[in-house]
Amino acid sequence: MIYFDNSATTAVHPAVLDTYVKTSQRILGNPSSLHRLGNQASRLLNESRKQIAEMLAVDPSEIFFTSGGTEGNNWIIKGTALAKADFGKHIIISAVEHSAVSAAALQLTDLGFEVSVAPVDERGQVRVDKVKELLRPDTILVSVMAVNNEVGAVQPIREIGDLLKEHPTTHFHVDAVQGLGKIPTSRFLTKRVDFVTFSAHKFHGPKGTGFIYWKKGRRIEPLLNGGGQESQQRSGTENVPGIVAMARAVRLHLTDQELKNKREQNIKDYLIDSLKKYPKVTLFSEANEDYAPHIVCFGLKDIKGEVLVHAFETKDIIISTTSACSSKSKVSGSTLSAMAVPEAKAITAVRLSINADTTMVEAEQFMVAFNQLQEKFSKINN
């Protein structure tokens, strides 16, 4: 099998799985317990927090563990609303956010909050000038993803952060679920960014684990109340094996990042150059630094994306429509709609997402299969 759906989820790294299994077998205690087994588990949690913080060059007190990207995004958005409602009820999100951000923000409109949506250009990148127009004295939160999950567009986080220097009390949240290890951390964890969301299963860690970066001095309200874990901010017994394994996944993922990205970019360049040779192909991703190196989104004229996905599956090649979380809703990608791609083209879109272990041979096999399938569909349509 050739797996090209790493933006949906990645395979757990063998070393990470080994850490998870050994920690599960050896660490019995609840980190909140006072006895030595509890202390042992608590020390492991603290060590994991410290390791992740070191890799991101932040303070360990700024790392909070979650169950993944959806929880992290919901916590920051709703937690900001709860903490800052007395100061304002205006929130800005981009038009291409994952539903874990957009749905969470839109739910707040039932409670009297107002959500403005910043548009993107035809390349899928947020219009900074429009964000500037939308900012108001009562804006409490701006939320923009680091890397778009459908076409791979890298968003102008630093430029938006520059705008927010004139709005020092407005929280700036970045969903970096697709960004960690794909672009330099400095492109989304800037000085003006207050909160960043991460999810372990996107970087070869265990599903059901994640973390957020939370800048010192910022305040949000907890969504989970109970035993007061995570400095009274996120109650619930910690997933110690998952967190320890995630810390190892972060370290492995960010080691030799530049070399891995270069390898991914070479494969992406090959795929894009190859697909360009077919006149019926429309490319929605580009091969330059405005796009992450691991995502190629394209469509084959008159062939629905889901049809192409299943056709490749018969050849044991796994690709996806534009987003795993919306693929079963049978609607065209929200990012492509925001990019003003006509519906007839948007419904053809499929996404290839590679990882550092993807080989050029696999990419070449993909193109052989693609050539066969496009010939088959051409004959059927003619």
Side-chain angles (χ1 to χ4, degrees), residues 157-350:
I157 300 302
R158 188 173 299 280
E159 290 83 349
I160 295 171
D162 287 343
L163 288 180
L164 291 174
K165 288 177 181 175
E166 297 179 9
H167 298 261
T169 62
T170 301
H171 286 178
F172 186 16
H173 166 234
V174 174
D175 175 357
V177 164
Q178 294 288 341
L180 187 69
K182 301 304 180 184
I183 58 175
T185 305
S186 59
R187 292 189 70 176
F188 58 81
L189 190 51
T190 68
K191 285 186 178 179
R192 184 56 187 87
V193 168
D194 301 304
F195 300 92
V196 186
T197 310
F198 302 92
S199 182
H201 77 101
K202 304 293 188 181
F203 50 83
H204 306 284
K207 293 178 177 61
T209 57
F211 65 97
I212 63 172
Y213 160 76
W214 177 343
K215 181 187 284 183
K216 283 182 185 177
R218 292 302 199 186
R219 187 172 75 85
I220 58 175
E221 292 293 325
L223 299 187
L224 302 178
N225 302 107
Q229 287 87 351
E230 292 299 290
S231 303
Q232 304 292 328
Q233 299 303 317
R234 197 265 186 185
S235 293
T237 302
E238 296 91 341
N239 175 4
V240 177
I243 290 169
V244 175
M246 175 173 66
R248 188 168 192 185
V250 171
R251 181 166 57 81
L252 290 170
H253 193 57
L254 295 183
T255 299
D256 298 326
Q257 182 187 0
E258 192 173 338
L259 180 65
K260 292 172 182 173
N261 291 162
K262 186 176 181 181
R263 201 156 54 216
E264 291 173 333
Q265 187 68 51
N266 285 340
I267 293 173
K268 177 176 176 176
D269 290 348
Y270 164 76
L271 289 168
I272 285 184
D273 288 344
S274 300
L275 289 166
K276 278 181 178 176
K277 297 173 183 174
Y278 294 88
K280 290 188 177 181
V281 166
T282 300
L283 281 160
F284 304 112
S285 303
E286 299 177 23
N288 56 52
E289 64 179 13
D290 289 339
Y291 291 80
H294 66 301
I295 293 177
V296 177
C297 184
F298 73 96
L300 181 61
K301 186 179 180 182
D302 297 331
I303 306 298
K304 287 185 177 179
E306 62 189 82
V307 173
L308 205 53
V309 167
H310 292 307
F312 272 106
E313 195 171 9
T314 64
K315 296 181 176 295
D316 213 18
I317 297 175
I318 305 302
I319 65 172
S320 69
T321 49
T322 50
S323 170
C325 294
S326 61
S327 61
K328 293 184 178 179
S329 64
K330 298 185 184 302
V331 296
S332 58
S334 58
T335 297
L336 297 178
S337 298
M339 291 164 61
V341 174
E343 180 71 8
K345 284 189 175 181
I347 61 173
T348 70
V350 293

Side-chain angles (χ1 to χ4, degrees), residues 28 44 49 71 77 111 135 142 145 207 275 292 315 324 334 354 367:
L28 170 64
L44 269 180
R49 199 184 314 273
E71 183 192 335
I77 291 166
L111 301 175
L135 279 168
V142 175
M145 59 175 31
K207 293 178 177 61
L275 289 166
K315 296 181 176 295
S334 58
I354 61 182
M367 288 310 307

